[in-house]
Amino acid sequence: TEKRLVTYNPKLASKKKYEIAKQIEKARNLCYSQAKRSEYGDLGKYVNFIDEDGEKAKASINESMIEKELKFAGYNMLVTSEKDMDDIDIYNTYHNLWRIEESFRIMKSDLDARPVFLQKENSIKGHFLICYLAVLLERILQFKVLNNQYSTHQIMKFIRSFKVVKGESKYINVTASSEFIKEFEKITNLPLTNYYLTERQIRQIFNYKI
């Protein structure tokens, strides 16, 4: 009824072993200070408690549990009902789930989707539809144009900060220079770093198509 896929990540193993070492050190210090059992919390799994009834716990480090934790550090099991799905597809699908969560964070933080100061149902639906479309366009720009080389925060900062002021005959670009803008200009071939912009160049920027 299910398929199980076990993976191993060396970087995750190194990180996990470091965390285990810190927890063991805390557990040892609690043992030396004869701390109460309630003070151990999650660290209790690394300790053998001899006296369970007393206020003070007579404790010793559980070496077998530490050995087991270190042995399996870096391993992860994925369980799915997709029995016919290729292993690599299962792995990639699982590790792309965070992008869905990130998209919701973008709407909540960068796009200020909430709170919603609307009452009519159609207005509320319209509000979130615009937010979803904005996230979609931002994601297309991020992955298809910029090859995922820049974060959402950098892209949104550019969108909010890019400003021009209309002068007597030309537009003046008052946007602060950044590495992102310079790279974006190379990719799109748009005059984003020009100090003076003509009417034609402004139209070129607005009419740019991916």
Side-chain angles (χ1 to χ4, degrees):
T1 58
E2 64 185 25
K3 184 175 184 177
R4 297 179 180 182
L5 178 67
V6 178
T7 64
Y8 177 77
N9 187 323
K11 288 184 179 180
L12 177 62
S14 179
K15 179 175 179 290
K16 186 67 177 175
K17 287 176 181 178
Y18 173 76
E19 292 173 351
I20 291 171
K22 287 183 66 177
Q23 289 180 318
I24 293 170
E25 184 181 358
K26 290 180 181 178
R28 289 188 193 278
N29 291 334
L30 288 171
C31 288
Y32 294 146
S33 63
Q34 296 183 332
K36 293 181 181 179
R37 181 165 184 166
S38 59
E39 294 179 52
Y40 283 85
D42 293 337
L43 301 177
K45 64 181 178 180
Y46 297 118
V47 177
N48 289 319
F49 294 99
I50 300 171
D51 183 9
E52 298 184 357
D53 299 324
E55 289 186 5
K56 295 283 181 86
K58 294 180 180 179
S60 61
I61 295 297
N62 188 339
E63 298 293 346
S64 61
M65 176 58 72
I66 293 172
E67 184 181 349
K68 182 180 178 181
E69 289 273 301
L70 293 173
K71 181 180 178 181
F72 293 107
Y75 287 95
N76 191 29
M77 178 183 284
L78 307 178
V79 181
T80 177
S81 58
E82 298 293 337
K83 295 184 293 180
D84 300 325
M85 199 172 181
D86 291 338
D87 293 350
I88 191 65
D89 291 336
I90 293 173
Y91 179 84
N92 289 333
T93 300
Y94 173 78
H95 282 275
N96 279 325
L97 290 177
W98 68 272
R99 295 199 183 281
I100 299 174
E101 297 175 1
E102 186 188 38
S103 294
F104 281 105
R105 285 199 298 271
I106 292 169
M107 279 202 299
K108 192 174 181 180
S109 57
D110 294 311
L111 296 177
D112 297 325
R114 299 180 69 179
V116 182
F117 300 101
L118 301 166
Q119 294 181 340
K120 293 182 180 180
E121 182 179 348
N122 286 340
S123 299
I124 295 172
K125 288 180 178 178
H127 169 77
F128 282 105
L129 175 61
I130 292 171
C131 289
Y132 281 124
L133 290 174
V135 171
L136 173 62
L137 293 173
E138 187 276 329
R139 287 308 215 186
I140 291 173
L141 176 64
Q142 184 177 9
F143 297 122
K144 298 297 183 181
V145 179
L146 300 174
N147 297 317
N148 200 22
Q149 297 296 311
Y150 296 91
S151 67
T152 298
H153 175 73
Q154 289 173 296
I155 295 171
M156 296 302 296
K157 183 179 179 181
F158 162 73
I159 292 172
R160 286 201 171 101
S161 63
F162 187 77
K163 296 178 181 178
V164 296
V165 178
K166 191 171 184 179
E168 293 182 3
S169 58
K170 293 183 178 180
Y171 290 86
I172 301 172
N173 187 351
V174 295
T175 310
S177 179
S178 68
E179 289 301 319
F180 174 83
I181 293 177
K182 293 176 183 176
E183 187 63 27
F184 194 28
E185 183 178 57
K186 291 179 183 178
I187 294 171
T188 60
N189 200 28
L190 294 172
L192 301 176
T193 60
N194 288 21
Y195 184 70
Y196 291 106
L197 294 167
T198 64
E199 192 80 37
R200 185 183 64 80
Q201 288 174 319
I202 291 293
R203 287 199 300 270
Q204 181 187 356
I205 293 172
F206 277 108
N207 294 330
Y208 177 78
K209 294 181 180 180
I210 297 173

